[in-house]
Amino acid sequence: MTAYDLCFAIVGLLSAASGLLAVTTKHLTHAALWLVVCLGSLAGCYLVLGAELVALVQVLVYVGAVVVLVLFAMMVTRAPIGRSTEHDTSLTQRAAAVVVAASTAVLVGAVLVSLFSGPARRIDVAGTHALATELFGTWVWPFELLSLLLLIAVVTALALTRLRSEAPEDDR
Amino acid sequence: MTVTEVVLRCLIVLVGFLVLPLLIGQTEHKLMAHMQGRLGPMYAGGFHGWAQLVADGVKFVQKEDVVPSAADKPVFRFAPALALASYLMALAVVPLGPVTWGANVPGSLVWVLAVGGIGTLGTLMAGWSSGNKYSLLGGLRAAAQLISYELPLILSCASFAMAAGSLSLVAIGHAWTPWWLIWQLPGALVFLVAATAELQRPPFDMPVADSELVFGPYTEYTGLRFAFFLLAEYAGIVVMSLLLAVLWLGGWTGPFDHQIGVLWTLLKGFGIALVILWMRMSWPRLREDQLQRIAWLWLVPLALLQIAITAAGVVLMSR
């Protein structure tokens, strides 16, 4: 067991534990803050695996922008301090969630183990240039499709707000 | 790199992190005073009140550390540490010279932007956890401001990285030529405005607007934790000024740069910090809608234009 394995185990455990806390905590805003820890330790996983740029972009996009947006939305709507039970789900829903999560985990785990069960190899080419070549060469079409999807989402969101504001406003 | 060298570099970064923000703070005291026809602090330490901020620090340490009973206590206590630590981590990778840095990582530019974003999370946590409506409103304004200004900041940094062909700050400093002063001018202006807004310095200080929100997210803080937020603000000025000095003004490049390169970086960074301080004394606070308008209607298009100019320049020069 090398130091890399140990580091990876630590950040992996941290990520799994904070992910669990994020979905089980009764404090609404704490869930978002545990999500920060979870995404941050996931960036740690990438870092241990040698994908430095991916790790930094993970922190930049998810911790710096997405979670800030989530916190903003919670502050605008409702973010009570202390435990809140009004958004709790029923027991059946929780059981269904556990079943779905467990089966997804087993499925992904089985696929990964069957694909990569051979002896571990160290790949030392995960530099920024190699990543850029892959992303804008091999994977350029999925990449562009994703940006098109995001563009459609933005335009749709704008259209929805515009449509709503055209409705008569003095019916309150 | 040996263990001794690592420890030494960490210590130097820590000392710089504790001294440079105080230097900026004292400069602000004196500069603002003289621009307003006053003398500023004159007593602490004797010579022109040089020890005023040390005295302030001693005062903050003596004050009682109050946690409001309505607050979310763990988050409330942890928020200042997060705000402070992020700028410490950012300062560690900003190079002062070709070999003078705390840590040299291949993606140091992305690193600075990423950990800078974590620091703003500390402000949000402070605003939410205080259990105070002024704090919550301040936190809301801070979040809205950060979301809008993060984009032009990253876009302008991307332009510098494209021009140098690298994400490493040391490599960007080596790739710099005087031609960048004109070529990258729009990007530098966008960076300066977006960085000032990111640091919530006047005229972009709506989150802490004292006449509307008491002191925004920091209203409930006292003593050392409050001082940590202030220190984080000035450390942020140091980080952003040195970053722009390396990106746009060529960092350590200058006459005799083999001997005094570090001094050049510090001098250029200090000049940019002076501009950031000067903005506070010259302009009144913007309104919230004006702030959003500037970000989305001016800074983002300007940054995109700069990226197009940079791309054209890179392609033409590589022919």
Side-chain angles (χ1 to χ4, degrees):
Chain A
M1 194 162 170
T2 62
Y4 279 112
D5 291 334
L6 191 68
C7 285
F8 187 76
I10 291 174
V11 285
L13 275 179
L14 201 64
S15 154
S18 51
L20 267 180
L21 278 169
V23 291
T24 52
T25 178
K26 288 280 181 197
H27 298 65
L28 273 185
T29 310
H30 284 193
L33 295 176
W34 281 120
L35 189 65
V36 172
V37 180
C38 179
L39 294 170
S41 43
L42 198 61
C45 290
Y46 293 138
L47 204 61
V48 175
L49 294 176
E52 189 203 50
L53 188 75
V54 182
L56 288 177
V57 169
Q58 161 92 7
V59 174
L60 185 66
V61 173
Y62 283 93
V63 178
V66 171
V67 177
V68 168
L69 204 61
V70 168
L71 280 174
F72 179 68
M74 288 174 76
M75 282 182 180
V76 165
T77 50
R78 183 164 297 170
I81 288 179
R83 301 164 66 88
S84 62
T85 49
E86 54 190 298
H87 298 292
D88 279 1
T89 44
S90 67
L91 266 180
T92 8
Q93 252 177 319
R94 287 186 203 188
V98 167
V99 169
V100 170
S103 47
T104 314
V106 167
L107 190 67
V108 172
V111 168
L112 286 181
V113 165
S114 64
L115 273 182
F116 303 105
S117 57
R121 282 180 298 132
R122 241 198 108 62
I123 305 174
D124 283 322
V125 290
T128 313
H129 280 281
L131 192 72
T133 322
E134 283 287 308
L135 193 60
F136 294 107
T138 319
W139 301 100
V140 67
W141 286 112
F143 179 80
E144 290 298 328
L145 266 180
L146 273 181
S147 44
L148 191 67
L149 183 72
L150 289 177
L151 187 67
I152 292 173
V154 169
V155 172
T156 317
L158 273 179
L160 277 177
T161 52
R162 282 291 158 90
L163 284 180
R164 195 157 305 167
S165 65
E166 274 170 17
E169 284 189 8
D170 51 355
D171 54 352
R172 269 166 281 173
Chain B
M1 216 185 328
T2 60
V3 178
T4 336
E5 199 190 338
V6 172
V7 173
L8 203 64
R9 282 185 190 276
C10 288
L11 272 180
I12 291 174
V13 168
L14 190 65
V15 169
F17 183 73
L18 293 176
V19 171
L20 291 178
L22 293 188
L23 200 65
I24 299 285
Q26 181 69 9
T27 311
E28 180 174 44
H29 271 323
K30 288 310 239 186
L31 196 69
M32 184 152 64
H34 284 287
M35 280 186 180
Q36 296 167 347
R38 300 182 284 121
L39 285 175
M42 286 299 280
Y43 296 102
F47 180 75
H48 285 265
W50 67 271
Q52 180 60 46
L53 287 172
V54 180
D56 281 346
V58 173
K59 181 193 73 178
F60 278 128
V61 171
Q62 289 170 335
K63 281 192 172 181
E64 187 188 356
D65 184 32
V66 181
V67 180
S69 56
D72 188 304
K73 292 178 183 64
V75 180
F76 185 84
R77 290 209 180 94
F78 184 62
L82 198 63
L84 200 57
S86 76
Y87 284 119
L88 178 61
M89 290 195 289
L91 192 66
V93 300
V94 177
L96 294 182
V99 290
T100 319
W101 26 257
N104 188 15
V105 289
S108 45
L109 180 59
V110 189
W111 170 271
V112 172
L113 294 174
V115 297
I118 298 179
T120 55
L121 215 56
T123 311
L124 294 191
M125 283 161 62
W128 171 75
S129 66
S130 294
N132 176 322
K133 64 183 90 159
Y134 294 112
S135 298
L136 186 65
L137 280 174
L140 265 179
R141 287 187 178 189
Q145 188 164 330
L146 298 175
I147 291 167
S148 338
Y149 280 89
E150 191 93 343
L151 188 61
L153 193 70
I154 291 172
L155 286 177
S156 60
C157 284
S159 156
F160 290 110
M162 278 165 63
S166 171
L167 286 174
S168 157
L169 286 171
V170 177
I172 292 177
H174 278 304
W176 184 85
T177 54
W179 160 238
W180 282 33
L181 289 176
I182 303 166
W183 187 31
Q184 299 292 334
L185 179 65
L189 290 179
V190 170
F191 183 97
L192 190 63
V193 176
T196 314
E198 185 97 354
L199 297 169
Q200 299 165 17
R201 292 283 301 173
F204 302 101
D205 62 335
M206 275 68 80
V208 292
D210 54 343
S211 50
E212 303 164 29
L213 297 178
V214 191
F215 208 61
Y218 318 128
T219 304
E220 295 288 354
Y221 281 88
T222 53
L224 211 51
R225 287 177 209 279
F226 180 72
F228 278 175
F229 274 119
L230 284 189
L231 187 61
E233 183 182 332
Y234 287 94
I237 298 180
V238 170
V239 168
M240 290 298 183
S241 308
L242 287 177
L243 189 61
L244 187 57
V246 171
L247 288 177
W248 184 48
L249 296 178
W252 52 88
T253 317
F256 310 109
D257 50 3
H258 286 293
Q259 288 85 34
I260 55 163
V262 177
L263 274 185
W264 279 120
T265 316
L266 286 174
L267 205 65
K268 289 167 180 174
F270 190 67
I272 294 167
L274 282 186
V275 174
I276 294 182
L277 298 182
W278 194 359
M279 281 201 258
R280 167 175 180 182
M281 298 147 208
S282 308
W283 283 310
R285 185 181 306 128
L286 291 170
R287 266 194 341 258
E288 190 66 31
D289 60 320
Q290 292 171 329
L291 172 104
Q292 298 290 341
R293 189 166 280 273
I294 288 181
W296 293 105
L297 292 188
W298 291 98
L299 291 187
V300 172
L302 202 60
L304 287 174
L305 179 74
Q306 170 68 71
I307 284 189
I309 294 172
T310 309
V314 168
V315 171
L316 284 179
M317 277 194 285
S318 65
R319 284 239 169 127

